[in-house]
Amino acid sequence: AYILRKYGAFGDVYVSDANGENQTQITRNPGPDSFVTWAPDGQSLWYIAPVTPKIEVRKVSFGDGAERTVASLDLVKGQARISPDLRWVTSIQDKRIHVVEIASGQSGQLLQTQEQAGFPVWAPDSKSLAVEVREGDNTHIGLVSREGGELR
């Protein structure tokens, strides 16, 4: 699954065979879809859709082709990522990394940096994230727990 941005249009979710053949457009939304991820069972795709001023976490089921909004969250889309267990979404706002439980909408700040943080990547068990942190001329990768705390 991937996001394809055609000239003059926003990005939509597509799937294809591993060799790139049999490309199929999955979404047709007015805004730019992003950060697509497979459900662990392979039966659906989840992605982020911006609906100003919020983002929506959406799910497309392959069984019936139905698309539904799983959650509407009060987050900036900035680098939003859905966790592998499909329970959490992270977002970067200013110099802070936030995590939100999709089902409840409960939000918490994971990390605040002095300069810049970005490019969060969930661990396979959804218990921590790797993030890129910039401090002065130095950029490094660190781990932070889903519950927050110090960067390791």
Side-chain angles (χ1 to χ4, degrees), residues 2-5 11 35 39 51 61-62 67 72 81 83 87 92 103 117 132 138 142 146:
Y2 50 93
I3 304 296
L4 181 62
R5 289 177 174 81
F35 307 115
V51 182
S61 299
F62 288 114
E67 180 176 356
S72 181
R81 299 287 196 279
S83 64
R87 292 185 54 213
I92 296 175
E132 179 182 289
N138 299 316
R146 182 184 66 222

Side-chain angles (χ1 to χ4, degrees), residues 15-111:
V15 295
S16 65
D17 296 339
N19 63 5
E21 295 181 6
N22 299 313
Q23 183 181 69
T24 303
Q25 186 173 0
I26 302 298
T27 64
R28 289 176 171 77
N29 295 314
D33 299 333
S34 58
F35 307 115
V36 64
T37 190
W38 287 96
D41 64 6
Q43 299 302 304
S44 62
L45 289 172
W46 293 52
Y47 68 94
I48 302 295
V51 182
T52 305
K54 299 180 179 217
I55 65 167
E56 289 185 350
V57 177
R58 294 185 181 167
K59 172 185 177 181
V60 178
S61 299
F62 288 114
D64 59 8
E67 180 176 356
R68 70 180 184 93
T69 299
V70 176
S72 181
L73 303 172
D74 223 356
L75 287 175
V76 174
K77 185 185 102 173
Q79 300 181 27
R81 299 287 196 279
I82 301 168
S83 64
D85 65 4
L86 307 176
R87 292 185 54 213
W88 310 92
V89 65
T90 186
S91 178
I92 296 175
Q93 299 176 30
D94 301 318
K95 300 172 190 172
R96 298 181 309 263
I97 298 176
H98 294 265
V99 67
V100 177
E101 186 177 31
I102 292 172
S104 69
Q106 294 285 353
S107 177
Q109 181 176 302
L110 293 183
L111 181 69

